[in-house]
Amino acid sequence: MAGEAGDQAQPAAGPVQETGEIFDVTRFGEYTQFTVVAPGVARAYQPGQFAAVAVGGVETSMLLRRSFALYGVKPGGEFAGTIQFVVAANGRGTEWLVQQKIGARLDLVGPLGVPFPLPRPGVPAVLVGGGYGSAPLIPLAEKLIAQGSEVEVIVGAATARRLFGDLQIKRLVGTVTVTTDDGSAGQRGWVTDPLPSAIERLGAEIVYACGPMGMLRAVGEVAQAHAIPAQVAVEESMACGIGVCMTCVLPVRGSDGVSRFVRSCVEGPIFDAGRIRWADVGKLPADLYGADGM
Amino acid sequence: MAGEAGDQAQPAAGPVQETGEIFDVTRFGEYTQFTVVAPGVARAYQPGQFAAVAVGGVETSMLLRRSFALYGVKPGGEFAGTIQFVVAANGRGTEWLVQQKIGARLDLVGPLGVPFPLPRPGVPAVLVGGGYGSAPLIPLAEKLIAQGSEVEVIVGAATARRLFGDLQIKRLVGTVTVTTDDGSAGQRGWVTDPLPSAIERLGAEIVYACGPMGMLRAVGEVAQAHAIPAQVAVEESMACGIGVCMTCVLPVRGSDGVSRFVRSCVEGPIFDAGRIRWADVGKLPADLYGADGM
Amino acid sequence: MTMDMTTSLASVELANPVLTASGCAAAGRELSQFFDVADLGGVVTKSIMLKPRSGRPTPRMAETPSGMLNSIGLQGPGIDSFIANDLSWLRQAGARTVVSIAGHNTDEFVSLAKRLYHQPVDVLEVNISCPNVESRGQVFACDPIASARVISAVRRATNPNVPIFAKLSPDVTDITQIARAVADAGADGISLINTLLGLDIDLDTMRPTLGGTTGGLSGPAIRPVALRCVWQVHQAVPQLPLLGMGGIRTGQDALQFILAGASAVSVGTAVFHDPTAPIRIIAELEAELARRGFRSVAEAVGFAHLSAEEQAAFLASRSPVAGVAS
Amino acid sequence: MTMDMTTSLASVELANPVLTASGCAAAGRELSQFFDVADLGGVVTKSIMLKPRSGRPTPRMAETPSGMLNSIGLQGPGIDSFIANDLSWLRQAGARTVVSIAGHNTDEFVSLAKRLYHQPVDVLEVNISCPNVESRGQVFACDPIASARVISAVRRATNPNVPIFAKLSPDVTDITQIARAVADAGADGISLINTLLGLDIDLDTMRPTLGGTTGGLSGPAIRPVALRCVWQVHQAVPQLPLLGMGGIRTGQDALQFILAGASAVSVGTAVFHDPTAPIRIIAELEAELARRGFRSVAEAVGFAHLSAEEQAAFLASRSPVAGVAS
Ligand SMILES: Cc1cc2nc3c(=O)[nH]c(=O)nc-3n(C[C@H](O)[C@H](O)[C@H](O)COP(=O)(O)OP(=O)(O)OC[C@H]3O[C@@H](n4cnc5c(N)ncnc54)[C@H](O)[C@@H]3O)c2cc1C
Ligand SMILES: Cc1cc2nc3c(=O)[nH]c(=O)nc-3n(C[C@H](O)[C@H](O)[C@H](O)COP(=O)(O)OP(=O)(O)OC[C@H]3O[C@@H](n4cnc5c(N)ncnc54)[C@H](O)[C@@H]3O)c2cc1C
Ligand SMILES: Cc1cc2nc3c(=O)[nH]c(=O)nc-3n(C[C@H](O)[C@H](O)[C@H](O)COP(=O)(O)O)c2cc1C
Ligand SMILES: Cc1cc2nc3c(=O)[nH]c(=O)nc-3n(C[C@H](O)[C@H](O)[C@H](O)COP(=O)(O)O)c2cc1C
Ligand code: FES
Ligand code: FES
């Protein structure tokens, strides 16, 4: 799906399973950022990909890995072979994760999923992040800037403590637009409020977004209204993360016009927002491929 | 059962459930000794009692507590409210436990079970410990010495690294007899080798023992040959440790001559060795009370 | 706003919906070292039989992932000793008492019911998840006819003021069929679920771990199966009160059962891990109900069966803002 | 001493007894990123139906204690696409291939068997743990007659050189009855177990978590139930080869199934946690067998059913000391 938008959209190499040592743990508001030594994951990584982390230790009752978008990946150089991800403690597994300390070991599988497809060099782009969703936009912005694109970034959250990456993005891009629902940081409102003017100001030809499903849908609509594509990183419940279980599907319209349930772990997590049938997420639309076989 | 041998045989107060902080962790050979701040458990403790420790953390797959005999309990004084126990890492739960560090918190229920029944003051006694089974004999020896008994202690293990408490007992009692199966410490052989002469030398009127079931049975036989009682601390698999589940039973002959399946967690773990039907452990003898109701 | 935690098992009102589970709390006495058993919704006693039972040989348990197997074999003192010692203790302790009975055949169930006729019993739980000697050892609860026969005989023999709850086994092809059969036979309610039949192999001996070869699987591992049974039975016989159990460890777990259709819940294996679990769960459940805008347990019973629209309408009427506005 | 890890599923010899489980490895391709699927005992493919299937709406999974619920609903491309893409990939990858088929009715099963007649299929696994539209949606494997009908029809329609394994559901009153029925109907072996029916309630929405309301429970939580089924079926039909599965995570778990009577095992949910699990388990199993004095997998199959004396006699003949002395 996403692959259609650019030729970098296939992962460079396959995922690996490896045990990585936690090199650093840093709190940002409500989030916890992990830096982990994981050269195998780092080697093949491209922006947009994620890792699946085992939680709970050896005798845990939690069988399923938790997925996190990667950023801050250093395949070489001083911190060679490190990856970063940021965790919001929501449930059982993430509660366990945020209690892990420097030196502890994490069992990782990654990099997983397809990367953000890149536009032709020089194409201006707006990047929109909600909550911790801004994390994977950081390496994307770097890459876009490196290939000569003009970039604007909008990050938003319910409240200041749930913003992530705004300072880092500001350093990188020179400027960042911040929105919060409660006005505790930046302008009060949603990321979609400043989005149209950013697109227009920049003459953006593509929008990238990562964040909650509702936000992705809204961003997709704004992009569509401007007749430009939005590439969005979705977050569906995933049992395996590697494409073998079929739990993570979304109803996605293909280039042949046919809608299918598509695995968001291997055919995503990056999708063209215009292809996702947002209103049918969690439903089984009658025209879906194979719905008549049920 | 055990209560018949002396009047201190009822616990002074009931068990409590409390969270204790690990104050110290020390390795002894293959064992790990924990000192834990647990004033509620310490308060009511008497030698022979044990605590049941939750293992694996909040989201563990291990539902059942692990039981450990207590010693080194300081209800008052400098280390007020601490308890000690020693752990042999055998399986899943104990493997987890021995990885816990100073400052970690343990969920404890204790003190559980009946204490060692004490003889009349001044009665000479031989104490026999196998492996970590010597741990609860330390406070017992202290108590016996305090009430004027002459005490000899024999500790044994398969090999030197599986001995426990020999030095502490030597300091306390002045002397200790050590046996190992492989001769790597003390005399080569079993604890029952030096036992008859110790009983005779001391004119012992009671034997106490804690260790593997086979050893307890053998000690009981030696005691019986000398026509003196042996009070032994058994180790049966326990699901609850508090008397509600009936998993921990042993076939025990009562003072009425009738044999019953008796809960080793609340009616033990201390039993008169002569009352346990050793040959029928793991069986259902036809003359057992209620066997005809099956 | 105070929460109305009362609930009822058929005609019997309970102060709250959290009980112990049969076989996991003996007759309450040991737990009273940790809390006052009168504070529970009720104590469900270990299934008692007519005569004393030794139970099965050891080993009687095996720990399994998020569960355990047991093969206790209904060790117990027999009904006379139970009445003299346990029941009298429970009465004096002021506990609501659900007495669980088990028999080898229908006559034994009837005798037990008669012995208990004038005893201080609030509810009778009829454990039909045990082997029927008259039917080559097939478990009563695996056969709708045998189940119905026991229940109707017990219903006739029991004090008519005492509701009887049939306790079902999940090890059946269609639990709603058994539920309907016992409901038609006069059960005032149903307890769901007993343990699942399981086995463990000891890798040291290379033989089955349990003295009884197979055993009953309990604990959080079975919670999804238990919830499914409660859901299905509530849907099949919506008017019938259900006592739900199977892997309940927290107030959230208890709430799942209530939303699925249970009027009250039993806490079993969790007690082994945490002797104070039943009392803790009462408080946790109260908080969970309040957080969701319920004012009583009764409002939450079966709530998950409502359509999203029905749920939304109810909750809108319950939001604090709506409350103020009205 | 080298260990003979070969085993067989009826007439088909496998290099080792560790396979993937249907629905937990797709058709092997994704796992080949982590290891060579030709090193497995075999790949069991996701149950394929005649026509393309969308599967059920999301959410399709819920994590439960030591387990998970899924309601995928057999999403798949249909048999033609499967043969063209997946089967040809597996052949080219050199994997032993167990193809799992599922149908709405007996005719569909037969059509699938015919389509696969000339295809590179080593074993056919007949997933009868799915609803039978001809019988008001009752699961085939819950009814011995429906089960037997499908199996005998498939047996007749399949290439006679390809063994067929019937995959049974544990959600029945008596699994040995179903096992005997399918054995009599011509099954060359039995796969045990499919998932248990379960339910989870989402405490945010206060409705069932899964799009399909109920779902299948898998993972270590169900291992004691799976072992019990393997034990019972091996006892009931000792000559029948069994492919055991349910919660296998380690070589020790696999050994439990083999000792209970399985000739080979499938690793399902564990793959989600650890994509390299099947390969790791082969090595672990080999070490566990060697540690206990076995020289081959075959010696260990059903070993837990021997009496303690028979076991001791065998192992005495196998101890290194005895070997030297003789
Ligand atoms: C591709 C991808 C990238 C992600 N990136 C990040 C990130 O960078 N930072 C971050 O904090 N979170 C991220 N998430 C969400 C994160 O995976 C979930 O918050 C986490 O799995 C929840 O686990 P838990 O233990 O807190 O919740 P539990 O309720 O214990 O989870 C139970 C099960 O449901 C799944 N689940 C629950 N919530 C979600 C969710 N929101 N999305 C997906 N699965 C869920 C869990 O993975 C687990 O299998 C990402 C998810 C995906 C799919
Ligand atoms: C009264 C009493 C006092 C004990 N004192 C000590 C002590 O001081 N130091 C010490 O190291 N050990 C002691 N034990 C034994 C200790 O409880 C077990 O070694 C431990 O439970 C094994 O747990 P695991 O996680 O290693 O094994 P696992 O195999 O994971 O245990 C599985 C289950 O079986 C039970 N179990 C396994 N082995 C034993 C055993 N030998 N005895 C009882 N239950 C068992 C476990 O409690 C658990 O419920 C005592 C046991 C009892 C009953
Ligand atoms: C050790 C043990 C003994 C049990 N004994 C009985 C019993 O005597 N009668 C009965 O009806 N159920 C008995 N049960 C089943 C429980 O009452 C309960 O139905 C089951 O364990 C599921 O709940 P849980 O997962 O909370 O334990 C027993 C369970 C266990 C673990
Ligand atoms: C996500 C998922 C999908 C499954 N799909 C199928 C299937 O298509 N056909 C089938 O026979 N079994 C299917 N199963 C059942 C497994 O093959 C296996 O029988 C069961 O999960 C128990 O093994 P486990 O505990 O190792 O997973 C599926 C299981 C899971 C978890
Ligand atoms: S999570 Fe398993 S296929 Fe996507
Ligand atoms: S361990 Fe439960 S009664 Fe003894």
Side-chain angles (χ1 to χ4, degrees):
Chain A
M1 300 287 110
E4 297 169 341
D7 52 3
Q8 289 96 330
Q10 284 312 307
V16 298
Q17 179 170 8
E18 74 181 328
T19 303
E21 192 177 311
I22 300 178
F23 180 78
D24 181 64
V25 181
T26 309
R27 315 271 158 196
F28 289 105
E30 295 187 3
Y31 304 125
T32 307
Q33 172 184 275
F34 289 91
T35 309
V36 183
V37 182
V41 179
R43 192 171 307 122
Y45 165 83
Q46 293 180 56
Q49 292 187 291
F50 63 99
V53 183
V55 291
V58 182
E59 296 298 336
T60 180
S61 66
M62 298 182 287
L63 294 188
L64 304 177
R65 288 170 182 266
R66 276 34 179 186
S67 300
F68 302 97
L70 298 176
Y71 62 95
V73 174
K74 306 273 186 306
E78 194 184 355
F79 298 104
T82 59
I83 59 171
Q84 289 185 315
F85 55 88
V86 61
V87 179
N90 283 322
R92 294 181 299 268
T94 48
E95 289 289 357
W96 178 86
L97 202 50
V98 299
Q99 283 163 37
Q100 300 309 299
K101 307 245 153 59
I102 291 174
R105 291 167 161 277
L106 295 177
D107 177 352
L108 306 156
V109 175
L112 296 169
V114 297
F116 286 112
L118 296 184
R120 295 178 316 283
V123 165
V126 180
L127 282 52
V128 186
Y132 56 73
S134 34
L137 302 182
I138 300 171
L140 174 64
E142 273 174 14
K143 216 162 176 174
L144 288 169
I145 291 169
Q147 67 169 46
S149 287
E150 213 181 332
V151 165
E152 270 211 39
V153 185
I154 304 167
V155 301
T159 185
R161 289 178 55 77
R162 299 209 190 136
L163 283 171
F164 182 80
D166 43 332
L167 293 179
Q168 210 178 330
I169 289 166
K170 187 160 185 187
R171 265 201 307 275
L172 183 68
V173 185
T175 169
V176 63
T177 307
V178 173
T179 68
T180 52
D181 296 3
D182 64 0
S184 56
Q187 66 187 72
R188 177 191 297 260
W190 292 344
V191 286
T192 41
D193 298 341
L195 178 58
S197 58
I199 292 174
E200 290 152 23
R201 196 163 51 238
L202 214 63
E205 289 176 37
I206 187 163
V207 175
Y208 293 93
C210 181
M213 290 297 258
M215 184 202 103
L216 300 184
R217 182 180 183 173
V219 167
E221 281 162 6
V222 173
Q224 193 171 26
H226 289 78
I228 60 175
Q231 292 289 338
V232 301
V234 303
E235 202 183 289
E236 257 299 323
S237 266
M238 294 179 178
C240 76
I242 59 169
V244 296
C245 76
M246 315 300 284
T247 62
C248 60
V249 299
L250 284 176
V252 174
R253 205 175 282 110
S255 47
D256 55 1
V258 179
S259 296
R260 297 178 182 80
F261 270 146
V262 158
R263 293 165 299 176
S264 59
C265 65
V266 288
E267 297 167 73
I270 315 299
F271 289 102
D272 180 335
R275 291 279 170 82
I276 297 180
R277 291 179 53 170
W278 298 99
D280 293 321
V281 173
K283 298 189 184 140
L284 175 49
D287 66 329
L288 208 74
Y289 187 70
D292 54 349
M294 293 301 293
Chain B
M1 301 286 109
E4 297 169 340
D7 51 6
Q8 290 96 329
Q10 285 311 308
V16 299
Q17 179 170 7
E18 73 182 330
T19 303
E21 193 177 311
I22 300 177
F23 180 79
D24 181 65
V25 180
T26 309
R27 315 272 159 196
F28 289 105
E30 294 188 3
Y31 303 125
T32 307
Q33 171 183 274
F34 288 91
T35 309
V36 182
V37 182
V41 178
R43 193 171 305 122
Y45 165 80
Q46 293 179 58
Q49 292 187 292
F50 63 98
V53 183
V55 292
V58 183
E59 296 299 335
T60 180
S61 65
M62 298 181 287
L63 293 189
L64 303 177
R65 288 170 182 266
R66 273 45 175 178
S67 300
F68 302 97
L70 298 176
Y71 62 96
V73 174
K74 305 274 185 305
E78 195 184 351
F79 297 105
T82 58
I83 58 171
Q84 289 185 316
F85 54 87
V86 61
V87 178
N90 284 321
R92 295 181 296 269
T94 48
E95 289 288 357
W96 178 88
L97 203 49
V98 300
Q99 283 164 35
Q100 300 308 297
K101 307 247 154 58
I102 292 174
R105 291 164 162 278
L106 295 177
D107 178 351
L108 306 157
V109 174
L112 296 169
V114 296
F116 287 113
L118 296 183
R120 295 179 315 283
V123 165
V126 180
L127 281 54
V128 186
Y132 56 74
S134 34
L137 302 181
I138 300 171
L140 174 64
E142 273 175 14
K143 216 162 176 174
L144 288 168
I145 291 168
Q147 68 170 43
S149 288
E150 218 182 326
V151 165
E152 272 211 36
V153 186
I154 304 167
V155 303
T159 185
R161 288 178 55 77
R162 296 208 192 139
L163 284 170
F164 183 78
D166 44 332
L167 293 178
Q168 211 178 329
I169 289 166
K170 188 161 184 187
R171 265 202 306 277
L172 182 67
V173 184
T175 170
V176 64
T177 306
V178 173
T179 68
T180 52
D181 298 1
D182 64 358
S184 57
Q187 65 186 76
R188 178 193 296 260
W190 291 346
V191 286
T192 41
D193 298 340
L195 178 56
S197 59
I199 292 175
E200 290 152 26
R201 196 163 52 238
L202 214 61
E205 290 177 35
I206 188 165
V207 175
Y208 293 94
C210 182
M213 290 298 258
M215 185 202 100
L216 300 183
R217 181 179 183 172
V219 167
E221 281 161 7
V222 172
Q224 194 170 24
H226 289 77
I228 59 173
Q231 292 288 339
V232 301
V234 303
E235 203 182 289
E236 257 299 324
S237 266
M238 295 177 177
C240 76
I242 59 169
V244 298
C245 76
M246 315 300 286
T247 61
C248 61
V249 298
L250 285 176
V252 174
R253 204 175 281 113
S255 45
D256 55 1
V258 178
S259 297
R260 296 177 180 80
F261 270 148
V262 157
R263 292 166 299 176
S264 60
C265 65
V266 288
E267 298 167 72
I270 315 298
F271 290 103
D272 181 336
R275 291 278 170 83
I276 297 180
R277 292 179 52 169
W278 298 100
D280 293 321
V281 172
K283 298 190 182 138
L284 176 47
D287 66 329
L288 207 78
Y289 186 71
D292 54 348
M294 293 300 294
Chain C
M1 184 95 48
T2 62
M3 179 67 59
D4 177 2
M5 288 292 283
T6 62
T7 188
S8 54
L9 291 177
S11 58
V12 172
E13 174 142 317
L14 307 178
N16 65 68
V18 182
L19 297 88
T20 61
S22 180
C24 301
R29 208 185 300 229
E30 292 82 2
L31 289 186
S32 74
Q33 299 177 289
F34 297 94
F35 57 82
D36 184 350
V37 294
D39 291 341
L40 293 173
V43 172
V44 183
T45 59
K46 167 125 193 111
S47 297
I48 191 76
M49 299 191 74
L50 262 188
K51 295 209 292 172
R53 298 242 319 169
S54 60
R56 296 222 184 85
T58 55
R60 289 180 169 185
M61 70 104 166
E63 192 184 53
T64 68
S66 296
M68 66 173 282
L69 288 165
N70 86 79
S71 69
I72 309 296
L74 295 182
Q75 175 166 353
I79 186 71
D80 294 333
S81 162
F82 173 78
I83 290 172
N85 301 309
D86 298 318
L87 213 45
S88 61
W89 183 87
L90 279 162
R91 187 227 285 266
Q92 157 257 305
R96 278 269 184 235
T97 303
V98 180
V99 173
S100 171
I101 57 171
H104 291 111
N105 52 48
T106 307
D107 285 351
E108 280 194 19
F109 278 104
V110 168
S111 305
L112 287 160
K114 287 187 176 155
R115 287 298 171 98
L116 291 164
Y117 197 101
H118 297 291
Q119 296 299 327
V121 175
D122 293 301
V123 175
L124 205 62
E125 186 172 83
V126 188
N127 176 8
I128 53 174
S129 316
C130 52
N132 176 1
V133 292
E134 284 162 355
S135 177
R136 285 170 286 112
Q138 203 207 15
V139 170
F140 290 96
C142 288
D143 173 10
I145 295 165
S147 299
R149 194 178 299 133
V150 169
I151 294 302
S152 68
V154 170
R155 183 60 285 175
R156 282 194 303 274
T158 314
N159 184 329
N161 298 321
V162 174
I164 69 171
F165 272 59
K167 182 156 174 188
L168 304 192
S169 162
D171 291 326
V172 294
T173 307
D174 181 0
I175 192 132
T176 64
Q177 185 196 17
I178 315 287
R180 284 206 188 83
V182 296
D184 292 347
D188 302 289
I190 293 184
S191 298
L192 294 165
I193 59 171
N194 215 311
T195 54
L196 277 78
L197 195 66
L199 178 111
D200 189 64
I201 306 266
D202 181 330
L203 288 179
D204 292 329
T205 65
M206 293 199 273
R207 300 172 53 72
T209 306
L210 296 176
T213 306
T214 57
L217 182 64
S218 64
I222 71 168
R223 199 183 66 215
V225 174
L227 275 170
R228 183 262 298 173
C229 291
V230 169
W231 174 271
Q232 288 181 324
V233 171
H234 183 76
Q235 208 151 45
V237 262
Q239 75 291 353
L240 209 65
L242 304 182
L243 175 57
M245 73 202 76
I248 295 174
R249 231 180 9 162
T250 66
Q252 292 201 339
D253 297 340
L255 180 58
Q256 287 202 36
F257 279 81
I258 289 170
L259 295 172
S263 294
V265 298
S266 276
V267 179
T269 305
V271 168
F272 305 163
H273 187 264
D274 180 359
T276 54
I279 284 293
R280 171 177 51 76
I281 289 171
I282 298 171
E284 289 174 353
L285 176 62
E286 180 164 354
E288 296 291 343
L289 286 165
R291 187 168 305 147
R292 288 166 180 79
F294 293 108
R295 287 187 200 148
S296 70
V297 170
E299 290 176 351
V301 174
F303 192 75
H305 293 263
L306 300 184
S307 71
E309 294 68 32
E310 290 166 321
Q311 289 190 342
F314 174 85
L315 292 170
S317 77
R318 275 310 156 80
S319 76
V321 178
V324 169
S326 70
Chain D
M1 185 93 51
T2 61
M3 178 68 58
D4 177 3
M5 289 291 283
T6 62
T7 189
S8 56
L9 290 178
S11 59
V12 173
E13 174 140 317
L14 308 178
N16 65 67
V18 182
L19 297 87
T20 60
S22 179
C24 301
R29 205 186 300 230
E30 292 81 3
L31 290 186
S32 73
Q33 298 177 290
F34 297 93
F35 57 82
D36 184 350
V37 294
D39 292 339
L40 293 172
V43 172
V44 183
T45 58
K46 167 124 195 111
S47 297
I48 191 75
M49 299 191 74
L50 263 188
K51 295 210 292 174
R53 297 249 311 175
S54 61
R56 295 222 185 85
T58 55
R60 289 179 169 186
M61 70 103 164
E63 193 184 50
T64 68
S66 295
M68 66 171 280
L69 288 165
N70 86 78
S71 68
I72 308 296
L74 296 182
Q75 175 166 352
I79 186 70
D80 294 332
S81 162
F82 173 79
I83 291 173
N85 301 309
D86 298 317
L87 214 44
S88 62
W89 184 88
L90 280 162
R91 186 226 285 267
Q92 157 258 304
R96 277 268 184 237
T97 302
V98 180
V99 173
S100 170
I101 57 171
H104 290 112
N105 53 46
T106 306
D107 285 351
E108 280 194 20
F109 278 103
V110 168
S111 306
L112 287 160
K114 288 187 178 155
R115 285 301 169 94
L116 291 164
Y117 197 104
H118 297 290
Q119 296 300 325
V121 175
D122 293 300
V123 176
L124 206 62
E125 185 172 84
V126 188
N127 176 7
I128 54 173
S129 317
C130 53
N132 176 359
V133 292
E134 284 162 354
S135 176
R136 284 169 288 111
Q138 203 206 13
V139 169
F140 290 98
C142 288
D143 173 8
I145 296 166
S147 298
R149 193 177 302 133
V150 170
I151 294 302
S152 68
V154 170
R155 182 60 286 175
R156 283 193 305 273
T158 314
N159 184 328
N161 298 321
V162 174
I164 69 170
F165 273 59
K167 180 156 177 187
L168 304 191
S169 162
D171 291 326
V172 294
T173 307
D174 181 1
I175 191 130
T176 65
Q177 185 196 17
I178 314 287
R180 283 205 189 83
V182 296
D184 292 346
D188 302 287
I190 293 183
S191 299
L192 295 165
I193 59 174
N194 216 310
T195 54
L196 279 76
L197 194 66
L199 178 112
D200 189 63
I201 305 266
D202 181 328
L203 288 178
D204 291 329
T205 66
M206 293 198 274
R207 300 172 55 73
T209 306
L210 297 175
T213 306
T214 57
L217 182 63
S218 64
I222 70 167
R223 199 182 65 216
V225 174
L227 275 170
R228 183 262 298 174
C229 291
V230 169
W231 174 272
Q232 288 181 324
V233 171
H234 183 74
Q235 209 151 46
V237 263
Q239 75 289 355
L240 210 67
L242 304 182
L243 175 58
M245 73 205 74
I248 295 174
R249 231 181 8 163
T250 66
Q252 294 201 337
D253 297 341
L255 180 57
Q256 287 202 37
F257 278 82
I258 289 170
L259 295 172
S263 295
V265 299
S266 276
V267 179
T269 306
V271 168
F272 305 164
H273 186 264
D274 180 0
T276 55
I279 283 295
R280 170 176 53 77
I281 290 171
I282 298 171
E284 290 175 352
L285 176 62
E286 180 164 355
E288 296 290 342
L289 287 165
R291 186 168 305 147
R292 287 168 180 78
F294 293 108
R295 288 188 198 145
S296 70
V297 170
E299 290 176 350
V301 174
F303 193 75
H305 292 263
L306 300 184
S307 71
E309 294 69 33
E310 291 167 321
Q311 288 191 343
F314 175 85
L315 292 171
S317 78
R318 278 309 158 78
S319 77
V321 178
V324 169
S326 69

